[in-house]
Structure formats: C-alpha cells, structure tokens
Amino acid sequence: MFSNKQEFQQAFLKRLEMLCGKPFKESTKNDHFLTLGQMIREHVSSNWIHTKEKYRTSQEKQVYYLSIEFLLGRLLRHNLMNLGIEELVEGGLQELGVDLEELEEIESDAGLGNGGLGRLAACFLDSLSSLNLPGHGCGIRYRHGLFEQKFVDGYQVELPEQWLRYGQVWEIRKTDLAVEVPFWGEIESYFENNRLSFRHINAEVVTAVPYDLPVIGYHTDTVNTLRLWSAEPSPYPFYQDVMKYKRETEAISEFLYPDDTHDDGKILRLKQQYLLVSASIRSIIRSFRATHRPINELPNRIAIHINDTHPVMAIPELMRILLDEEKLGWEEAWDITTNTISYTNHTTLSEALEKWPVRLFKPLLPRIYMIIEEINRRFCEKLWEINPGDWDRIHNMSIIVNDEVKMAHLALVGSYSVNGVAQIHTDILKNREMNLFYQVFPEKFNNKTNGITHRRWLLKSNPKLSSLITSAIGTGWIQSPQELIKLTEFKEDKGFLDKLQSVKQENKERFSQRVFEQTGITIDPHSIFDVHVKRLHAYKRQLLNVLHIMHLYNRLKEDSSFRLYPRTFIFGAKASPGYYYAKKIIKLINTVAEKINGDPAVQDQLKVVFLENYRVSVAEELFPAADVSEQISTASKEASGTGNMKLMMNGALTVGTLDGANVEIKERVGLENIFIFGLTAEEVLHFYQKGGYHSMEYYHHDKKIRHVIDQLTNGYFPDVDDEFEPIYDSLLIQNDQYFVLRDFDSYVSIHKEVERKFKNRDQWIKMSLQNIAASGYFSSDRTIKEYADDIWKIKPV
Ligand SMILES: *Cc1c(COP(=O)(O)O)cnc(C)c1O
C-alpha cells in the first residue's frame, strides 16, 4: 500500500479529497480520522483475504468465540501499532500539520460491553491474531453501547452512547451473508422416511446482518474476523402491522444490556441471545458445509466457545441443525454437539446465574425449548441410573425446574469443557457451587486464569514505561511477555530504578494535567495515586474505600497534629441504571469528594476524584499513573478480576483481599510486594454457612466505625437528608453481607502500611519493579495458549 512517508502522504491527500469532496485546507479532524481509518482497513484487506483463504484451504481446526459483549475501546492507534506503521503514519501526518493524538480523541470507544467479561473477549481476540491462531469472535452490533455516564449534583445520569454517529470506519457490512432467525410460531411434527420430524411454522422472522471487523495481529500477517450481527426486518414476510414489526425487530440490537449481573426476565434479552447464537451457528455451519466434509467431522474442524451462559443456546441450536436439517439421530447429534462446545463460567454470584421462566422461553423459542426438554429428560434419566431414588440430587441438578430454565446447568451438561477464570474460582466451582456436576463430570472442569493483552495495556498505553523496559531487556518481551521477569535483574540497579521512578512521575504529571482540564480539580502529582476503578457493585466494596476516606478525613479534622502523606483517591465506576444501592454509593463518593475537596484545611493531604464515564480509553490514561490498585472485593466474590492485572503491569501495588486473581498475583510477587488484608474466602463462606457475624458488634465496639457510620445519617453532609439511609441499613440492619465492617480495621491498618512503604521511595519503586516483572504471566497470550492447547486443540496456521 504505502512503504514510506511520502507515499503515505500522497495516498492520504488523494483519499481525503475523494472521500470528503474537499481540498485538504478545508478539511476537519473528523475528515482526517475517517480518511486514515479507511486507509488502514484497505491496508489490511489483502492480509485479511489471505488469512480467510488460508483457513479455507488448510485442514486446521478453527475456534469461534461467542460472546454477548466485546469491550473493544478505540482501535486507531492499536491497529497502527499492530500493523507496525505507527511511526510512519504519525510522522507523515505531523508534516502535514495533523496531530495523530488529536485524531485518536475523535474516535468513540467501541463500548459493546459492561466490564471485565467484555474486555476479556477483546483481549482474547488480540491474542488469537497475534499468536496466528485461527479464532474468530461472534457478537452483536449494538447501535448503542454501554451508556454514557454524567454526574448531576453527584447523581449518576445515563445518556445513550453514540459510537456509530460518525460511521464505523472499521466494519464491512456483508448483506449477502445475512441469515434468517425465527421467533414465536408453532412446531409442527410430520413423518418423513419413517422418522418423526419437526418444522417451525408461523414464525416471526428477523434478518441478522453481519458486520465484519478485522482483528489485526501484532506484527503478523494474520487478520482474523470479529463478526457482529445486526437485527433488521426481513424483506420477505408480510405482517399486518409493518411498523410495529420493524420497531420490534430493530430493538433487538438497539442497546447493550447495561447489567451483567441481573437478568430481569426480559424477552428482549432472550431475543438478543438467540439472535447471536442462531446467526453465528448457522453461519459457522454454512462455511463448514462448503468444505463438503461429513458432518461427524465437525468437532475435528471447529470448536465453539461460549463466554458465560449468555450464548448457551448454541447447544440446543446446534442440536436443532443436526437433528432437523442434517437428519441425524439424537445420540449422534449429541455426540457431535458435546464435543464441539466449551464453556467459561464467570461468576458464582447467585443473582448473576441466568434463569429463564418457561412461560417466556417456550413460546418465544418453541423448538429450542423442546430440545432442552429432551436434553434434560435424558440427563435426569442418567442421574437416576447413577443414584437411583435420589430425587433431591435430580431436583438440584435439573436443567428445567420450578418452571425455570437454568442456563448454567445446560452449559455444564452440553459442553465438553467447563473452565473457571482463576484458580480460587475454579476451586469454588468444583468444591462448592457446581460440586454436584463435578461429581458427575470431573473431567470437564479446568482452570484458565484470565489475562490481558500487554500490547494494549502496556505497550500502547504506557509508551514511556515500554521504552524503558525495552532499553533494559530488549524487545523480546513484546512477543514473549514472560520475559518481563528479566527486569528483576535490575532490582539493585540504582540508575534503572531512578528512571523507573521518573517514568511514573511523568505519567502522574500528565494525568494530573488531564484531570485538571476535564474537572478543574488540581491534584498533587507527588501524592499517592490510589486507584479504585471498576463497575460499581456491592461486592466490589467501593463503600469500604469511601468509609476509610471519611475516617482519614475525621482524623485530620480531630487531631491537628495528625499528618497524612498526601493522597489522591481516584474512583471510576458506572452503576447499572436500575441498581438502586450502587447509585447511592456513587452519590456518597461524590458527596465525600465535594466535602473534602472543598475544605482548604486538608487540601495538601487529601483529594478525592471521581472520574466521569469510566471506560477503556479512560483506563488507558489512568493506569500508567497509578501507585496503588484497590482490589478489595469480599473474598470469594470476584471470580478473577482483570483490572488488577492491568494495574500491576503498570507498576501499581495491589491493596487486595485474597480473592480471584489477587491470589495468583500474590503468589507471583511474594507477600512482601503486595498488601493483603481482610477475611479469606474460606472464612467468608464459613460465615455464610454457619453464621456468627454480627455487624452491629463492630459498630458498638469500634469507635472509628461508629463515627463514620453515624455521619451517614446524622446531618453531617448538608442537603442530603436521608439519602444514605439505605447504606446505613445494609451495614447494620441487614447485617452487612459483604463484611465491610468486619474488614474495616484490617483495611485501615494495611493503608498505614502502604503509607509507610511509600515514604521509603527506594523501597517502593523496587516493589513496583517486582510487580511489572511478574506481570508477564497475566498476559492473555499465556491464557489463550492454554485455551488453544487444552480446550480447543487448535494450532497456529
Ligand atoms: C479491565 C476493565 C474492567 C474490569 O475491571 P475489574 O477491576 O476486573 O472489574 C472494567 N471496565 C473497563 C473499562 C476495563 O478496562
């Protein structure tokens, strides 16, 4: 396409005129962005076609990763970097007077996800392509991604997100590959060649149109595909009320569900799930059929992975195709299906385990429901054979029970592999939550500790640290992130440690500047940047953090001799719009921030910043500047976490409970390089089972706790009336089910330890180095290699 700066510039100017119909001197930043985006897409097109051709002709197995969310973020610089043309393009544009950084800012985050689960899917795509593995993503092209968050008077307000407003430069609409997805209607049975067969009649048909995005590997020729489905009215059938049909159809891919932990029994959500599954499986089978191989070879050629239970209807959908279209017998179809589909469990929170009322499910998806009934009948029969007469066991394991379909049970029965996302999470699945299934299918269970792509979360977002690392250990770590461990050789190298210290300081100054521009708040770049960013959820315990801040502020106010090492607490979090309690916590953090930031007496010691609209691009700016990473979930509740890994990789030290991947971070850095506090998962689970925790005792016996809790409701905060009563109630009346008060003292102590360690700058920077050095394990390249070898059995092509 273009091999030097001049060629690039000529092509850019020519393309700009053609695309925007105006000369360069009249063009806008937006024109520049669109032009560059198109050029990049064109630049990859030959490799993209070549990759597809290679997959078509090779005998190698491919994986399809089905996920209801892909939290991609911005793609411009990431794509330039992976293509290896970042410098050329940046320099070429600069000579034309165009600033690449400004163009980056124009791009909206592709926010097709809520948080960790969707971001994991995005990291996996990057690793698949960068490792030359044949793997594709399948998702939904929501017209509006996760809502945009604003604070008004300290309350969260949600605005519809508009990522498609200026046209999506990366995607290609593939109208000719559209598939028809049926909802509602009836199932008619008939005999054909002595075989009972079924057909779906009177269905309402929705057209699923794919939009393909190239997934560009880092410095390789591999370009895989992320296929996102959009729901459109079918051009064929005639409906009485055409407008209503059009509206209802388009609604399916209109919005991302703003919650990954509650499912409020919405038909729309079920329609989204089936649209994703049905369109994806149909298109997978279509390309398999084009190879003219016998259908029983499917599991040798294709692996289908479901990211949590949202796409679990892949199981009955594949059965439907094998039974109704391929005319296989049940056993053969089941054998193929259960050797093709694998499943990742993301949570043990009972409120997040999907259950669908039969009364909604059955009329909407009649054939799928019939097949699930038959899967369940056979499964229960098998259970009966293993444990005759054990009705309780069957009741607890059944896929359909109490007029509900339990999606996790379907996933456990219909897949060949079930993995948790961190060792402690997998252990809890095996020994507790899914133990009954573990007894029946021990061979299915395995662990795959999550990872993040170090290319986005270090190489791209922290260029200063990346250069420093490269200057010390060479570039090998970019391809083999575990080489970061070589950095430990520099732990006594004063010169290197000073440079590391300067990089962090420069990043903090840059971030302080951003905060000032965006919020008008001045923060001290020499203070400790204490970062707590993630979705707002009771179990993630942002409340524990803010109560601790209130406590520190109380100390400063009460004791004029008490000095705090300057500290900036930084929050970022969206609450699901319907999550009342989470919104109260947002209001509390904003209220505390206002009070503290408005008090001149503590300005040099304490600041609280709550960043609006936390998302991937904000995370990328923040992490390079972080000193402390707050990972303080109630032990046993956070399956893995990935924010913890991103922050560690950027040299932040973790303050954390022994939960999720924190446990493995601790194992890799050693107890002396992490701040662990609070109850263990064992202890928490023990309390849940046996009782014995009374939060009121902590209130009565601990003065500092009593003080902050009273401040929630005694008029300490002006103009909020009874705003925080629900928080007070949850802590004292409802016995604090997340153990905030139980862990409070331990949290206060560990933060004293943090302060002590930070004051010794040489020691701190050494600890930071140890964290960066040990973070290579948490690259998603390691995770994806494990999936590829152990679960999918795929090889680089
Ligand atoms: C990584 C990431 C998350 C997940 O964070 P956790 O701390 O693991 O919950 C959520 N949102 C964004 C934007 C992220 O980049």
Side-chain angles (χ1 to χ4, degrees):
M1 263 289 294
F2 42 86
S3 45
N4 62 46
K5 237 194 289 191
Q6 285 68 36
E7 273 177 43
F8 164 74
Q9 287 169 337
Q10 277 167 12
F12 180 81
L13 292 172
K14 189 158 165 227
R15 169 60 56 98
L16 179 86
E17 284 184 6
M18 290 194 310
L19 189 70
C20 309
K22 47 182 142 173
F24 176 68
K25 64 178 188 316
E26 286 172 25
S27 59
T28 64
K29 282 180 202 165
N30 210 43
D31 297 333
H32 303 156
F33 173 75
L34 289 177
T35 305
L36 185 57
Q38 281 222 353
M39 287 174 74
I40 294 170
R41 211 185 64 196
E42 215 170 272
H43 193 81
V44 302
S45 60
S46 63
N47 277 344
W48 201 1
I49 292 168
H50 182 72
T51 303
K52 279 184 234 179
E53 204 46 45
K54 205 161 57 174
Y55 294 161
R56 224 192 323 272
T57 51
S58 87
Q59 309 286 309
E60 297 300 333
K61 192 173 176 185
Q62 301 179 47
V63 65
Y64 292 86
Y65 192 83
L66 271 55
S67 179
I68 201 97
E69 301 187 7
F70 285 91
L71 188 49
L72 300 170
R74 290 177 176 151
L75 297 172
L76 179 62
R77 191 178 286 270
H78 187 73
N79 282 345
L80 288 172
M81 184 187 81
N82 280 11
L83 287 168
I85 56 173
E86 187 183 4
E87 256 175 67
L88 185 155
V89 167
E90 187 151 27
L93 287 173
Q94 200 166 25
E95 287 179 14
L96 295 173
V98 177
D99 182 358
L100 183 63
E101 265 184 46
E102 285 181 17
L103 296 195
E104 272 186 277
E105 297 284 309
I106 292 194
E107 184 173 12
S108 310
D109 277 44
L112 309 182
N114 276 290
L117 175 144
R119 186 53 232 174
L120 184 76
C123 285
F124 280 5
L125 292 181
D126 183 58
S127 287
L128 282 165
S129 288
S130 296
L131 297 170
N132 298 310
L133 286 163
H136 313 281
C138 303
I140 296 179
R141 182 182 182 269
Y142 302 103
R143 224 153 73 81
H144 303 284
L146 185 60
F147 66 85
E148 187 185 328
Q149 179 193 53
K150 289 245 180 279
F151 295 140
V152 177
D153 292 335
Y155 295 100
Q156 169 175 294
V157 173
E158 301 99 25
L159 305 175
E161 186 278 346
Q162 302 271 14
W163 71 300
L164 294 173
R165 195 171 24 188
Y166 298 118
Q168 232 301 345
V169 287
W170 312 114
E171 66 186 13
I172 299 183
R173 182 184 162 95
K174 296 276 174 73
T175 316
D176 53 324
L177 296 180
V179 298
E180 304 276 290
V181 179
F183 295 102
W184 311 108
E186 294 96 45
I187 303 304
E188 198 175 67
S189 57
Y190 62 100
F191 271 91
E192 187 183 64
N193 302 332
N194 271 337
R195 174 195 157 99
L196 182 60
S197 303
F198 299 92
R199 67 176 151 238
H200 199 159
I201 57 168
N202 300 325
E204 187 177 296
V205 175
V206 170
T207 303
V209 183
Y211 286 73
D212 286 358
L213 276 77
V215 183
I216 302 165
Y218 181 81
H219 293 195
T220 101
D221 293 341
T222 299
V223 180
N224 288 323
T225 302
L226 169 58
R227 177 161 286 179
L228 300 177
W229 296 97
S230 178
E232 295 183 7
S234 163
Y236 307 116
F238 177 76
Y239 292 100
Q240 294 227 306
D241 188 342
V242 177
M243 289 315 289
K244 178 164 174 280
Y245 164 69
K246 183 171 183 296
R247 237 183 359 259
E248 285 181 1
T249 303
E250 288 170 351
I252 298 175
S253 52
E254 188 80 2
F255 288 100
L256 167 78
Y257 261 64
D259 195 335
D260 43 8
T261 50
H262 293 78
D263 265 301
D264 14 30
K266 293 269 166 62
I267 290 276
L268 198 55
R269 174 73 162 180
L270 211 45
K271 280 185 171 176
Q272 288 185 333
Q273 295 187 350
Y274 188 61
L275 184 95
L276 164 64
V277 156
S278 178
S280 303
I281 303 275
R282 281 165 210 246
S283 99
I284 294 165
I285 293 292
R286 183 172 51 200
S287 51
F288 177 78
R289 281 177 181 150
T291 66
H292 304 292
R293 298 182 173 283
I295 192 73
N296 61 9
E297 281 190 25
L298 189 77
N300 307 331
R301 304 286 161 211
I302 283 170
I304 297 173
H305 196 87
I306 56 175
N307 191 25
D308 213 329
T309 55
H310 320 121
V312 72
M313 282 185 275
I315 293 163
E317 177 68 4
L318 184 53
M319 285 297 286
R320 184 193 65 75
I321 291 175
L322 298 174
L323 296 167
D324 297 356
E325 296 179 15
E326 297 291 330
K327 310 287 180 195
L328 298 186
W330 183 277
E331 270 85 16
E332 205 182 351
W334 185 243
D335 193 53
I336 292 172
T337 300
T338 53
N339 280 296
T340 303
I341 294 178
S342 48
Y343 155 61
T344 296
N345 176 285
H346 280 270
T347 184
T348 55
L349 297 184
S350 57
E351 66 270 30
L353 291 177
E354 289 194 290
K355 300 183 203 76
W356 293 104
V358 170
R359 87 192 134 73
L360 297 180
F361 197 118
K362 189 173 171 179
L364 182 68
L365 302 164
R367 181 65 181 135
I368 295 301
Y369 185 76
M370 275 176 81
I371 292 171
I372 294 176
E373 269 189 324
E374 181 62 13
I375 293 172
N376 191 41
R377 192 187 65 75
R378 288 169 184 253
F379 175 58
C380 291
E381 215 169 74
K382 176 177 163 170
L383 290 177
W384 183 264
E385 279 164 27
I386 304 172
N387 296 90
D390 194 344
W391 286 105
D392 273 354
R393 184 179 297 258
I394 292 177
H395 180 82
N396 289 329
M397 298 179 75
S398 180
I399 299 168
I400 304 171
V401 74
N402 298 337
D403 297 317
E404 284 183 325
V405 186
K406 294 188 165 179
M407 304 304 249
H409 293 192
L410 178 57
L412 288 155
V413 174
S415 59
Y416 66 88
S417 164
V418 177
N419 73 280
V421 289
Q423 193 58 55
I424 185 176
H425 168 60
T426 302
D427 290 342
I428 290 173
L429 287 179
K430 290 206 288 201
N431 302 329
R432 293 174 183 263
E433 301 299 325
M434 308 293 179
N435 177 261
L436 291 175
F437 289 89
Y438 180 60
Q439 288 178 37
V440 181
F441 308 113
E443 72 291 348
K444 290 189 185 184
F445 286 74
N446 63 93
N447 177 60
K448 296 288 168 280
T449 299
N450 280 169
I452 55 166
T453 169
H454 60 289
R455 284 169 292 271
R456 179 177 289 263
W457 294 108
L458 177 54
L459 187 60
K460 169 181 170 294
S461 62
N462 199 341
K464 292 197 177 97
L465 181 56
S466 299
S467 311
L468 180 63
I469 293 171
T470 298
S471 74
I473 61 171
T475 53
W477 65 275
I478 299 170
Q479 302 290 349
S480 316
Q482 311 232 23
E483 285 188 19
L484 286 171
I485 201 71
K486 291 183 185 167
L487 287 171
T488 49
E489 291 164 25
F490 294 82
K491 69 170 189 279
E492 304 301 336
D493 183 332
K494 182 81 172 75
F496 182 81
L497 292 174
D498 283 347
K499 284 187 202 146
L500 185 57
Q501 167 76 31
S502 315
V503 163
K504 181 60 84 181
Q505 195 54 42
E506 285 166 35
N507 286 335
K508 287 170 73 174
E509 267 152 36
R510 186 184 153 94
F511 186 75
S512 307
Q513 188 59 37
R514 298 284 302 194
V515 167
F516 180 71
E517 284 160 14
Q518 282 164 18
T519 67
I521 301 176
T522 352
I523 55 182
D524 172 6
H526 293 283
S527 63
I528 304 174
F529 281 17
D530 190 320
V531 173
H532 198 172
V533 290
K534 47 187 73 245
R535 282 304 288 262
L536 213 137
H537 205 290
Y539 84 81
K540 291 178 182 276
R541 296 201 297 188
Q542 282 93 351
L543 180 58
L544 176 57
N545 189 342
V546 72
L547 292 179
H548 174 241
I549 297 171
M550 288 169 65
H551 162 68
L552 292 176
Y553 182 59
N554 287 340
R555 290 201 62 187
L556 286 169
K557 298 306 280 183
E558 283 160 9
D559 177 357
S560 58
S561 69
F562 175 70
R563 301 296 298 169
L564 196 62
Y565 192 96
R567 185 87 75 116
T568 303
F569 289 97
I570 299 167
F571 289 90
K574 289 180 182 175
S576 181
Y579 192 170
Y580 175 77
Y581 185 72
K583 289 183 148 180
K584 290 286 173 191
I585 311 255
I586 287 185
K587 173 66 177 167
L588 177 61
I589 299 170
N590 278 324
T591 305
V592 169
E594 200 185 326
K595 181 148 192 131
I596 292 177
N597 298 347
D599 181 347
V602 301
Q603 282 318 286
D604 53 341
Q605 298 175 73
L606 198 54
K607 275 274 161 70
V608 182
V609 178
F610 198 156
L611 303 167
E612 245 173 8
N613 202 28
Y614 176 61
R615 61 195 187 282
V616 172
S617 54
V618 171
E620 286 180 65
E621 284 174 11
L622 171 59
F623 292 165
D627 294 310
V628 174
S629 160
E630 299 277 349
Q631 307 299 335
I632 61 176
S633 53
T634 310
S636 81
K637 298 283 183 186
E638 187 76 86
S640 162
T642 49
N644 46 5
M645 303 169 184
K646 300 168 196 164
L647 281 154
M648 169 199 199
M649 199 173 265
N650 282 276
L653 303 193
T654 305
V655 169
T657 46
L658 283 175
D659 201 17
N662 297 354
V663 176
E664 288 158 75
I665 292 177
K666 187 209 86 181
E667 282 163 8
R668 303 226 151 229
V669 297
L671 245 186
E672 66 283 9
N673 292 307
I674 189 168
F675 301 96
I676 297 294
F677 77 101
L679 290 174
T680 63
E682 284 289 321
E683 290 165 338
V684 167
L685 294 169
H686 185 86
F687 276 130
Y688 283 139
Q689 271 173 6
K690 302 272 153 70
Y693 172 56
H694 308 288
S695 62
M696 198 57 101
E697 290 171 6
Y698 289 81
Y699 174 80
H700 284 303
H701 295 145
D702 191 330
K703 203 162 108 256
K704 59 184 185 300
I705 290 181
R706 197 161 60 245
H707 194 173
V708 292
I709 295 214
D710 287 347
Q711 286 172 331
L712 295 175
T713 52
N714 68 2
Y716 170 75
F717 296 114
D719 308 324
V720 292
D721 297 326
D722 51 3
E723 185 75 48
F724 302 128
E725 243 162 50
I727 299 176
Y728 181 96
D729 286 355
S730 77
L731 291 174
L732 295 181
I733 314 296
Q734 292 150 44
N735 199 32
D736 181 21
Q737 58 164 313
Y738 296 102
F739 301 93
V740 172
L741 303 189
R742 178 66 173 73
D743 280 349
F744 190 78
D745 201 42
S746 163
Y747 188 60
V748 170
S749 307
I750 204 75
H751 268 293
K752 288 182 187 156
E753 183 72 16
V754 168
E755 181 178 298
R756 209 164 26 246
K757 291 266 167 57
F758 194 86
K759 282 180 182 163
N760 183 345
R761 305 299 290 119
D762 292 345
Q763 191 192 357
W764 183 276
I765 203 68
K766 232 179 264 187
M767 294 167 75
S768 174
L769 178 71
Q770 293 289 359
N771 272 267
I772 301 166
S775 70
Y777 178 79
F778 298 102
S779 166
S780 48
D781 286 6
R782 187 266 313 150
T783 313
I784 277 295
K785 276 186 198 138
E786 290 178 7
Y787 275 87
D789 292 345
D790 305 343
I791 301 180
W792 303 328
K793 317 282 183 203
I794 57 167
K795 293 201 293 283
V797 176

